[in-house]
Every structure is written in structure tokens, then in C-alpha cells.
């Protein structure tokens, strides 16, 4: 399988600029505080659309020798390695597995709902002719969401060497030099290891001991896809998002808009079911019936088309839980008691 390294600006989430920031991505990003990589992990119909700054075309001959494939203008089955410069130097921040690489730019259409750099620049009155030509909104890669990993900031530790035969100033590198063979093999082994979609060791350990989870990796992929979808949904509404998943507060995300803050618990389902489980801590907060709390249930979260999002909120006037824009569905809650039996 071919591999392509792409250098981008540093971000936490790469899912829009709201609630995030971009840095260390060159003069354009330094000047405008935004770049095309804001779309790279923005959930869109079960896929991710990838951007790297390239004013020319990709040389598909570097990725395949099949002339028929080259003639069609894209190559499938390529691993895209995302590289960015953080506080500890240039490191791998994530990857797409089995991606499609286009030779030419693919323009972002409105139906995709991806954030556009040009729209952000227009709002800031910073758009010049040269910016619009290069930043009006395009992508170079497509990959299925379940084949993609964005590493948490604390896990971005694998450095990318520089020097002869390695990645230089050009934003992309095919990794085909003799000097880089050992490093490229190391990267291939690294991304082929059993990475979980959500890198939370405590959560993984808990799930490993639970009879409720028959497929842990699938569940974690589903949960991450659901969180990313909800993140994108509220970002599009103008909220700034913050993850508090590791703080054990009883909700996963906080969404801020003006002086309002929503506390959002996210539950993902791989199928079309509508039943989820809350942990004791989550259930404790759910029972408070707070007006700023939202329970977001995403079913068919790994869908190649579009997941379904159900946003539950408590209506104090009706004294009941309702779903935004859904009058035909009723929210019911059944309390269950369980226990952990251990033999030692």
C-alpha cells in the first residue's frame, strides 16, 4: 500500500476553527489564523475530506504504476499520514487509511456542509484575489471515517525526522528515499497497531471487563464518530466546543455561544436503534433536568450517508423530556440496577 506524508498546521480537532486554533502552518496561517486543514476531521456523511496545501497536482506515478488508474485522475488505497509541528517539534498527529488521492483539486460543494476558509476570511474582511484562488475551498483526499485516526494531543509523540532523504519544506512527501526506509516501515507498523478510535485507556480497560460490550473497538469507533458528528453540528450553529470527556462531569462536551453554555452528553449507536445506557454519573446529572443539558443520541453513527441525530432536552413547562424538531418520538427512561460479581 502506498503512503503519503502531508504537513499541515497544528490543531486539536481539525473540525472547523470555532473552539479551536491553528498554528505553525506557514505564513498564510500566521497571517489569517485559518487554513484549509480545518476540514480534515470534520465529520461528513461517514467520510473525512482531507486538505493539504498544494498549488500544483499530485504525481500519481509516485503512488501507482498502473497507467489506467493514473488516467482516471485518482488512486485508491493510499495511507495519508498527517504531520504537524507542535511544542515538541514535528510529529504525526493522525492518519487516513485506505484513502483516495486525487491528482487535482476537488472543489467543496455546498451540500457537503464543510467549513470554507473563504467564508471565514470574508467575515474578517481579509479575502484577497490570491487567497480566494487558493483557499476558496477544496480537498485532495477522501477516506471512510472508520479508517481514520486523529491522535489526542498527549499521544502525538512520534517524531518525523528531517534532513537528506526525509520530509523537507514541501507540504507533502512520498517517503520513497533509501534513507527513509526504516522510518517509513516504522510508521506503517505504528498505524497498523491496534489503535482505538478513542484513545482513553481507562475507558478501554473498563470496557474490557464489561459483558455489555461484545465488540470494544467497534463501540469506541462508534462513540468517536458520534462525538465528531455532534461537534460538527453545533459548530455549524456558531458554538465553540470544548471536550470534557476525561473530566468525569456527567457530560462529554461543552458548547458556548455568547453567554450561553450547553452541557452535552453524546451517545453513539452503530445501528438504527434508539436505546442507550447512561452510567451512574451520567444518569445522576440527567435526573437534574437542567435547561442547559442536552442528551444527543446518534444512531447509524458510522453511516456512509448521514447519521441520525436526536437531541433530547427537558421542557420545564411540560415537565417532560422532548426531542428537538421531533414530535412523534417519546423519550422514556427505565432505571435498572446492576452489580459486578468478581471471583478472586
Amino acid at each position: 500500500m502506498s503512503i503519503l506524508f502531508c504537513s499541515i498546521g497544528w490543531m486539536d480537532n481539525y473540525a472547523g476553527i470555532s473552539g479551536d486554533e491553528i498554528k505553525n502552518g506557514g505564513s498564510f496561517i500566521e497571517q489569517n489564523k485559518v487554513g484549509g486543514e480545518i476540514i480534515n476531521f470534520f465529520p461528513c456523511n461517514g467520510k473525512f475530506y482531507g486538505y493539504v496545501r498544494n498549488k500544483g497536482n499530485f504525481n500519481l506515478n509516485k503512488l501507482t504504476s498502473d497507467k489506467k488508474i493514473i488516467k482516471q485522475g485518482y488512486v485508491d488505497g493510499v495511507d495519508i499520514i498527517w504531520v504537524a509541528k507542535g511544542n515538541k517539534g514535528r510529529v504525526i498527529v493522525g492518519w487516513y487509511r485506505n484513502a483516495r488521492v486525487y491528482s487535482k483539486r476537488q472543489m467543496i460543494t455546498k451540500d457537503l456542509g464543510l467549513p470554507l476558509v473563504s467564508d471565514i476570511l470574508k467575515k474578517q474582511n481579509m479575502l484577497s484575489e490570491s487567497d480566494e484562488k487558493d483557499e476558496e475551498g477544496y480537498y485532495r483526499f477522501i477516506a471512510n471515517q472508520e479508517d481514520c485516526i486523529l491522535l489526542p494531543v498527549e499521544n502525538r509523540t512520534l517524531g518525523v525526522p528531517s534532513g537528506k532523504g526525509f520530509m523537507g519544506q514541501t507540504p507533502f512527501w512520498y517517503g520513497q528515499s533509501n534513507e527513509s526506509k526504516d522510518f517509513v516501515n516504522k510508521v506503517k507498523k505504528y498505524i497498523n497497531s491496534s489503535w482505538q478510535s478513542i484513545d482513553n485507556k481507562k475507558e478501554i480497560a473498563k470496557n474490557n471487563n464489561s459483558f455489555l460490550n461484545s465488540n470494544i473497538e467497534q463501540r469506541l469507533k462508534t462513540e468517536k464518530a458520534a462525538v465528531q458528528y455532534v461537534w460538527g453540528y453545533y459548530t455549524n450553529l456558531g458554538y465553540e466546543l470544548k471536550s470534557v470527556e476525561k473530566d468525569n462531569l456527567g457530560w462529554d462536551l461543552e458548547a458556548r455561544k455568547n453567554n450561553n453554555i450547553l452541557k452535552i452528553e453524546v451517545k453513539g449507536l452503530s445501528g438504527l436503534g434508539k436505546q442507550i445506557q447512561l452510567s451512574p454519573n451520567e444518569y445522576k446529572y440527567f435526573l437534574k433536568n437542567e435547561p442547559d443539558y442536552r442528551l444527543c443520541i446518534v444512531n447509524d453513527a458510522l453511516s456512509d450517508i448521514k447519521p441520525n441525530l436526536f437531541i433530547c432536552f427537558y421542557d420545564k413547562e411540560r415537565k417532560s423530556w422532548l426531542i428537538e424538531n421531533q414530535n412523534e418520538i417519546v423519550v422514556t427512561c427505565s432505571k435498572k440496577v446492576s452489580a459486578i460479581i468478581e471471583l478472586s
Side-chain angles (χ1 to χ4, degrees):
M1 182 174 288
S2 298
I3 194 167
L4 178 63
F5 292 77
C6 294
S7 181
I8 54 178
W10 178 278
M11 300 183 73
D12 287 352
N13 300 301
Y14 297 93
I17 197 64
S18 180
D20 204 346
E21 64 175 344
I22 185 170
K23 58 184 180 181
N24 302 336
S27 58
F28 181 88
I29 288 175
E30 184 177 351
Q31 177 183 349
N32 299 289
K33 310 302 180 186
V34 70
E37 46 267 82
I38 62 173
I39 70 169
N40 286 3
F41 285 87
F42 192 101
C44 181
N45 301 330
K47 298 183 183 298
F48 286 134
Y49 292 74
Y51 164 96
V52 67
R53 195 174 182 86
N54 179 7
K55 294 184 178 181
N57 297 332
F58 280 115
N59 183 359
L60 300 185
N61 290 287
K62 295 279 190 178
L63 302 174
T64 182
S65 59
D66 191 320
K67 293 182 179 180
K68 290 183 179 179
I69 292 178
I70 294 172
K71 188 176 181 180
Q72 70 186 7
Y74 60 85
V75 175
D76 288 326
V78 180
D79 288 341
I80 308 298
I81 311 299
W82 298 111
V83 177
K85 184 179 180 182
N87 296 330
K88 297 182 180 180
R90 195 165 57 174
V91 296
I92 292 174
V93 300
W95 52 85
Y96 292 177
R97 298 297 312 276
N98 198 34
R100 172 172 293 182
V101 177
Y102 291 95
S103 172
K104 298 181 179 181
R105 300 179 185 180
Q106 305 297 304
M107 306 311 296
I108 295 175
T109 54
K110 289 184 178 180
D111 61 296
L112 290 177
L114 295 172
L116 298 178
V117 169
S118 59
D119 288 346
I120 297 170
L121 293 176
K122 285 176 183 177
K123 290 179 181 179
Q124 299 172 349
N125 295 318
M126 298 176 63
L127 190 65
S128 68
E129 291 183 4
S130 60
D131 293 337
E132 187 170 7
K133 182 179 179 181
D134 195 53
E135 301 293 344
E136 57 187 354
Y138 67 87
Y139 59 92
R140 294 286 193 164
F141 320 115
I142 298 179
N144 291 325
Q145 195 167 314
E146 62 265 28
D147 292 332
C148 303
I149 293 288
L150 175 63
L151 295 173
V153 172
E154 64 271 18
N155 286 358
R156 300 174 186 179
T157 57
L158 182 56
V160 179
S162 58
K164 183 181 178 181
F166 288 91
M167 196 171 193
Q169 297 299 317
T170 305
F172 52 91
W173 176 57
Y174 298 97
Q176 295 176 349
S177 65
N178 290 327
E179 295 88 345
S180 65
K181 283 184 179 179
D182 289 343
F183 171 71
V184 171
N185 287 333
K186 179 180 179 181
V187 171
K188 289 180 178 179
K189 184 177 179 180
Y190 182 72
I191 68 174
N192 279 317
S193 61
S194 55
W195 280 97
Q196 305 287 357
S197 293
I198 296 177
D199 199 299
N200 184 329
K201 294 181 179 179
K202 291 183 179 179
E203 180 70 11
I204 293 171
K206 179 182 73 174
N207 291 334
N208 278 333
N209 292 319
S210 173
F211 63 89
L212 296 174
N213 297 280
S214 59
N215 189 329
I216 300 162
E217 186 172 358
Q218 178 76 0
R219 177 177 179 268
L220 293 172
K221 283 183 178 180
T222 303
E223 287 181 353
K224 182 179 181 182
V227 168
Q228 289 177 326
Y229 188 77
V230 171
W231 188 293
Y233 174 83
Y234 279 98
T235 296
N236 281 341
L237 294 179
Y239 285 87
E240 294 185 359
L241 277 293
K242 175 185 176 183
S243 173
V244 292
E245 294 169 86
K246 295 184 180 180
D247 296 340
N248 199 32
L249 297 175
W251 59 90
D252 297 318
L253 304 175
E254 292 182 355
R256 181 186 297 271
K257 187 176 182 181
N258 299 324
N259 294 323
N260 299 319
I261 299 179
L262 295 179
K263 299 169 183 176
I264 304 171
E265 173 62 25
V266 182
K267 292 296 180 180
L269 298 169
S270 59
L272 294 174
K274 297 184 179 70
Q275 184 182 81
I276 56 94
Q277 292 180 329
L278 296 177
S279 69
N281 192 44
E282 294 164 351
Y283 183 55
K284 180 181 178 181
Y285 197 84
F286 175 85
L287 290 177
K288 291 184 177 182
N289 299 333
E290 297 287 353
D292 60 354
Y293 175 87
R294 298 292 184 272
L295 174 60
C296 292
I297 300 173
V298 183
N299 71 9
D300 206 14
L302 300 177
S303 170
D304 289 335
I305 303 174
K306 187 178 181 180
N308 302 306
L309 173 60
F310 303 92
I311 303 176
C312 308
F313 69 98
Y314 187 77
D315 188 313
K316 286 193 172 182
E317 292 184 1
R318 300 187 187 182
K319 295 183 179 180
S320 62
W321 282 88
L322 305 176
I323 300 176
E324 290 185 7
N325 304 318
Q326 297 274 356
N327 296 322
E328 69 277 9
I329 301 178
V330 178
V331 180
T332 58
C333 177
S334 301
K335 183 178 179 180
K336 293 186 178 182
V337 179
S338 64
I340 297 175
I341 308 300
E342 181 178 356
L343 302 181
S344 60

CSV table of all heavy atoms in Angstrom, one decimal, residues 29-61:
chain,number,residue,atom,x,y,z
A,29,ILE,N,-1.2,30.9,7.3
A,29,ILE,CA,-1.9,30.6,8.6
A,29,ILE,C,-1.5,31.7,9.6
A,29,ILE,O,-2.4,32.1,10.4
A,29,ILE,CB,-1.6,29.2,9.1
A,29,ILE,CG1,-2.4,28.2,8.2
A,29,ILE,CG2,-2.0,29.0,10.5
A,29,ILE,CD1,-2.1,26.8,8.4
A,30,GLU,N,-0.3,32.0,9.7
A,30,GLU,CA,0.2,33.0,10.7
A,30,GLU,C,-0.5,34.3,10.5
A,30,GLU,O,-0.9,35.0,11.4
A,30,GLU,CB,1.7,33.2,10.5
A,30,GLU,CG,2.3,34.2,11.5
A,30,GLU,CD,3.8,34.3,11.4
A,30,GLU,OE1,4.4,33.5,10.6
A,30,GLU,OE2,4.3,35.2,12.1
A,31,GLN,N,-0.8,34.7,9.2
A,31,GLN,CA,-1.4,36.0,8.9
A,31,GLN,C,-3.0,35.9,9.1
A,31,GLN,O,-3.6,36.8,9.7
A,31,GLN,CB,-1.2,36.4,7.5
A,31,GLN,CG,-1.9,37.6,7.0
A,31,GLN,CD,-1.6,38.0,5.6
A,31,GLN,OE1,-0.8,37.3,4.9
A,31,GLN,NE2,-2.4,38.9,5.0
A,32,ASN,N,-3.6,34.8,8.7
A,32,ASN,CA,-5.0,34.7,8.7
A,32,ASN,C,-5.7,33.9,9.8
A,32,ASN,O,-6.9,33.9,10.0
A,32,ASN,CB,-5.5,34.2,7.4
A,32,ASN,CG,-5.1,35.0,6.2
A,32,ASN,OD1,-5.6,36.1,6.0
A,32,ASN,ND2,-4.1,34.6,5.4
A,33,LYS,N,-4.9,33.2,10.6
A,33,LYS,CA,-5.3,32.3,11.7
A,33,LYS,C,-6.3,31.3,11.2
A,33,LYS,O,-7.2,30.8,12.0
A,33,LYS,CB,-5.9,33.2,12.8
A,33,LYS,CG,-5.1,34.4,13.2
A,33,LYS,CD,-3.7,33.9,13.7
A,33,LYS,CE,-2.9,35.1,14.2
A,33,LYS,NZ,-1.5,34.6,14.6
A,34,VAL,N,-6.2,30.8,10.0
A,34,VAL,CA,-7.1,29.8,9.5
A,34,VAL,C,-6.4,29.1,8.3
A,34,VAL,O,-5.6,29.7,7.7
A,34,VAL,CB,-8.5,30.4,9.1
A,34,VAL,CG1,-8.4,31.3,7.8
A,34,VAL,CG2,-9.5,29.3,8.8
A,35,GLY,N,-6.8,27.9,8.0
A,35,GLY,CA,-6.3,27.2,6.8
A,35,GLY,C,-7.2,26.1,6.4
A,35,GLY,O,-8.1,25.7,7.2
A,36,GLY,N,-6.9,25.5,5.2
A,36,GLY,CA,-7.8,24.5,4.7
A,36,GLY,C,-7.9,23.2,5.5
A,36,GLY,O,-8.9,22.5,5.4
A,37,GLU,N,-6.9,23.0,6.4
A,37,GLU,CA,-6.9,21.8,7.2
A,37,GLU,C,-8.0,21.7,8.3
A,37,GLU,O,-8.2,20.7,9.0
A,37,GLU,CB,-5.6,21.5,7.9
A,37,GLU,CG,-4.9,22.7,8.5
A,37,GLU,CD,-4.0,23.5,7.6
A,37,GLU,OE1,-4.5,24.3,6.8
A,37,GLU,OE2,-2.8,23.3,7.7
A,38,ILE,N,-8.8,22.8,8.4
A,38,ILE,CA,-9.9,22.8,9.4
A,38,ILE,C,-11.0,21.8,9.0
A,38,ILE,O,-11.8,21.5,9.8
A,38,ILE,CB,-10.5,24.2,9.5
A,38,ILE,CG1,-11.1,24.7,8.1
A,38,ILE,CG2,-9.5,25.3,10.0
A,38,ILE,CD1,-11.9,26.0,8.2
A,39,ILE,N,-10.9,21.3,7.8
A,39,ILE,CA,-11.9,20.3,7.4
A,39,ILE,C,-11.5,18.8,7.6
A,39,ILE,O,-12.3,17.9,7.5
A,39,ILE,CB,-12.3,20.4,5.9
A,39,ILE,CG1,-11.1,20.0,5.0
A,39,ILE,CG2,-12.8,21.8,5.6
A,39,ILE,CD1,-11.5,19.8,3.5
A,40,ASN,N,-10.2,18.6,7.9
A,40,ASN,CA,-9.6,17.3,7.8
A,40,ASN,C,-10.3,16.2,8.7
A,40,ASN,O,-10.2,15.0,8.3
A,40,ASN,CB,-8.1,17.3,8.1
A,40,ASN,CG,-7.4,17.9,6.9
A,40,ASN,OD1,-8.0,18.4,5.9
A,40,ASN,ND2,-6.0,18.0,7.0
A,41,PHE,N,-10.8,16.6,9.8
A,41,PHE,CA,-11.5,15.6,10.7
A,41,PHE,C,-12.9,16.1,11.0
A,41,PHE,O,-13.5,15.9,12.1
A,41,PHE,CB,-10.7,15.3,11.9
A,41,PHE,CG,-9.5,14.4,11.6
A,41,PHE,CD1,-8.3,14.9,11.3
A,41,PHE,CD2,-9.7,13.0,11.7
A,41,PHE,CE1,-7.2,14.1,11.0
A,41,PHE,CE2,-8.6,12.2,11.4
A,41,PHE,CZ,-7.4,12.7,11.1
A,42,PHE,N,-13.5,16.9,10.1
A,42,PHE,CA,-14.9,17.3,10.2
A,42,PHE,C,-15.8,16.3,9.6
A,42,PHE,O,-15.8,16.0,8.4
A,42,PHE,CB,-15.0,18.7,9.4
A,42,PHE,CG,-16.3,19.4,9.7
A,42,PHE,CD1,-16.3,20.5,10.5
A,42,PHE,CD2,-17.5,19.0,9.1
A,42,PHE,CE1,-17.5,21.2,10.8
A,42,PHE,CE2,-18.7,19.7,9.4
A,42,PHE,CZ,-18.7,20.8,10.2
A,43,PRO,N,-16.6,15.6,10.5
A,43,PRO,CA,-17.5,14.5,10.0
A,43,PRO,C,-18.4,14.9,8.9
A,43,PRO,O,-19.1,15.9,9.0
A,43,PRO,CB,-18.2,14.1,11.3
A,43,PRO,CG,-18.2,15.3,12.2
A,43,PRO,CD,-16.9,16.0,11.9
A,44,CYS,N,-18.5,14.2,7.8
A,44,CYS,CA,-19.3,14.5,6.7
A,44,CYS,C,-19.8,13.2,6.0
A,44,CYS,O,-19.0,12.6,5.3
A,44,CYS,CB,-18.6,15.4,5.7
A,44,CYS,SG,-19.6,15.9,4.3
A,45,ASN,N,-21.0,12.8,6.3
A,45,ASN,CA,-21.6,11.6,5.7
A,45,ASN,C,-20.8,10.4,5.8
A,45,ASN,O,-20.6,9.6,4.8
A,45,ASN,CB,-21.9,11.9,4.2
A,45,ASN,CG,-22.8,13.1,4.0
A,45,ASN,OD1,-23.7,13.4,4.8
A,45,ASN,ND2,-22.6,13.8,2.9
A,46,GLY,N,-20.2,10.2,7.0
A,46,GLY,CA,-19.4,9.0,7.2
A,46,GLY,C,-18.0,9.0,6.6
A,46,GLY,O,-17.3,8.0,6.6
A,47,LYS,N,-17.6,10.2,6.1
A,47,LYS,CA,-16.3,10.3,5.5
A,47,LYS,C,-15.6,11.5,6.0
A,47,LYS,O,-16.2,12.4,6.6
A,47,LYS,CB,-16.4,10.4,4.0
A,47,LYS,CG,-17.0,9.1,3.3
A,47,LYS,CD,-17.1,9.3,1.8
A,47,LYS,CE,-17.8,8.0,1.2
A,47,LYS,NZ,-17.1,6.8,1.5
A,48,PHE,N,-14.2,11.5,5.8
A,48,PHE,CA,-13.4,12.7,6.0
A,48,PHE,C,-12.9,13.2,4.7
A,48,PHE,O,-12.4,12.3,3.9
A,48,PHE,CB,-12.3,12.4,7.0
A,48,PHE,CG,-12.8,12.3,8.4
A,48,PHE,CD1,-12.3,11.3,9.2
A,48,PHE,CD2,-13.6,13.2,9.0
A,48,PHE,CE1,-12.7,11.1,10.5
A,48,PHE,CE2,-14.1,13.1,10.3
A,48,PHE,CZ,-13.6,12.1,11.1
A,49,TYR,N,-12.8,14.5,4.5
A,49,TYR,CA,-12.3,15.1,3.3
A,49,TYR,C,-11.0,15.8,3.7
A,49,TYR,O,-11.0,16.7,4.6
A,49,TYR,CB,-13.3,16.1,2.7
A,49,TYR,CG,-14.5,15.4,2.1
A,49,TYR,CD1,-15.5,14.8,3.0
A,49,TYR,CD2,-14.7,15.2,0.8
A,49,TYR,CE1,-16.6,14.2,2.4
A,49,TYR,CE2,-15.8,14.6,0.2
A,49,TYR,CZ,-16.7,14.1,1.1
A,49,TYR,OH,-17.8,13.4,0.6
A,50,GLY,N,-9.9,15.4,3.1
A,50,GLY,CA,-8.6,15.9,3.5
A,50,GLY,C,-8.0,17.0,2.7
A,50,GLY,O,-8.1,16.9,1.4
A,51,TYR,N,-7.4,18.0,3.3
A,51,TYR,CA,-6.7,19.1,2.6
A,51,TYR,C,-5.2,19.1,3.0
A,51,TYR,O,-4.9,18.9,4.2
A,51,TYR,CB,-7.4,20.4,3.0
A,51,TYR,CG,-6.6,21.6,2.7
A,51,TYR,CD1,-6.8,22.3,1.5
A,51,TYR,CD2,-5.6,22.1,3.6
A,51,TYR,CE1,-6.1,23.5,1.2
A,51,TYR,CE2,-4.8,23.2,3.2
A,51,TYR,CZ,-5.1,23.9,2.1
A,51,TYR,OH,-4.3,25.0,1.8
A,52,VAL,N,-4.4,19.4,2.0
A,52,VAL,CA,-3.0,19.8,2.3
A,52,VAL,C,-2.7,20.9,1.2
A,52,VAL,O,-3.2,20.8,0.1
A,52,VAL,CB,-2.0,18.6,2.2
A,52,VAL,CG1,-1.9,18.1,0.7
A,52,VAL,CG2,-0.6,19.1,2.7
A,53,ARG,N,-2.0,21.9,1.6
A,53,ARG,CA,-1.7,23.0,0.7
A,53,ARG,C,-0.8,22.5,-0.5
A,53,ARG,O,0.3,22.0,-0.3
A,53,ARG,CB,-1.0,24.1,1.4
A,53,ARG,CG,-1.0,25.5,0.6
A,53,ARG,CD,-0.5,26.6,1.5
A,53,ARG,NE,-0.5,27.9,0.9
A,53,ARG,CZ,-1.6,28.7,0.9
A,53,ARG,NH1,-2.7,28.3,1.5
A,53,ARG,NH2,-1.5,29.8,0.2
A,54,ASN,N,-1.3,22.6,-1.7
A,54,ASN,CA,-0.5,22.2,-2.9
A,54,ASN,C,-1.1,22.9,-4.1
A,54,ASN,O,-2.2,22.7,-4.5
A,54,ASN,CB,-0.7,20.7,-3.1
A,54,ASN,CG,0.0,20.2,-4.4
A,54,ASN,OD1,0.8,20.9,-5.0
A,54,ASN,ND2,-0.2,18.9,-4.7
A,55,LYS,N,-0.3,23.9,-4.6
A,55,LYS,CA,-0.8,24.7,-5.7
A,55,LYS,C,-0.7,23.9,-7.0
A,55,LYS,O,-1.3,24.4,-8.0
A,55,LYS,CB,0.1,26.0,-5.8
A,55,LYS,CG,-0.1,26.9,-4.6
A,55,LYS,CD,0.7,28.2,-4.7
A,55,LYS,CE,0.4,29.1,-3.6
A,55,LYS,NZ,1.1,30.4,-3.7
A,56,GLY,N,0.0,22.8,-7.1
A,56,GLY,CA,0.0,22.0,-8.3
A,56,GLY,C,-0.8,20.8,-8.2
A,56,GLY,O,-1.8,20.7,-7.4
A,57,ASN,N,-0.4,19.7,-8.9
A,57,ASN,CA,-1.1,18.4,-8.9
A,57,ASN,C,-0.2,17.4,-8.3
A,57,ASN,O,1.0,17.5,-8.3
A,57,ASN,CB,-1.4,18.0,-10.4
A,57,ASN,CG,-2.4,18.9,-11.0
A,57,ASN,OD1,-3.2,19.6,-10.4
A,57,ASN,ND2,-2.3,19.0,-12.4
A,58,PHE,N,-0.8,16.4,-7.7
A,58,PHE,CA,0.0,15.3,-7.2
A,58,PHE,C,0.4,14.4,-8.3
A,58,PHE,O,-0.3,14.2,-9.3
A,58,PHE,CB,-0.9,14.5,-6.2
A,58,PHE,CG,-1.0,15.1,-4.8
A,58,PHE,CD1,-2.2,15.5,-4.3
A,58,PHE,CD2,0.1,15.2,-4.0
A,58,PHE,CE1,-2.3,16.1,-3.1
A,58,PHE,CE2,0.1,15.7,-2.8
A,58,PHE,CZ,-1.1,16.2,-2.3
A,59,ASN,N,1.6,13.9,-8.2
A,59,ASN,CA,2.2,13.0,-9.1
A,59,ASN,C,1.8,11.6,-8.8
A,59,ASN,O,2.4,10.9,-7.9
A,59,ASN,CB,3.8,13.1,-9.1
A,59,ASN,CG,4.4,12.2,-10.2
A,59,ASN,OD1,3.7,11.5,-10.9
A,59,ASN,ND2,5.7,12.3,-10.2
A,60,LEU,N,0.7,11.1,-9.5
A,60,LEU,CA,0.2,9.8,-9.2
A,60,LEU,C,1.1,8.7,-9.5
A,60,LEU,O,1.0,7.5,-9.0
A,60,LEU,CB,-1.2,9.6,-9.9
A,60,LEU,CG,-2.3,10.6,-9.5
A,60,LEU,CD1,-3.6,10.2,-10.2
A,60,LEU,CD2,-2.5,10.7,-8.0
A,61,ASN,N,2.1,9.0,-10.4
A,61,ASN,CA,3.1,7.9,-10.7
A,61,ASN,C,3.9,7.5,-9.5
A,61,ASN,O,4.5,6.4,-9.5
A,61,ASN,CB,4.1,8.5,-11.8
A,61,ASN,CG,3.4,8.6,-13.1
A,61,ASN,OD1,3.1,7.7,-13.8
A,61,ASN,ND2,3.1,9.9,-13.5
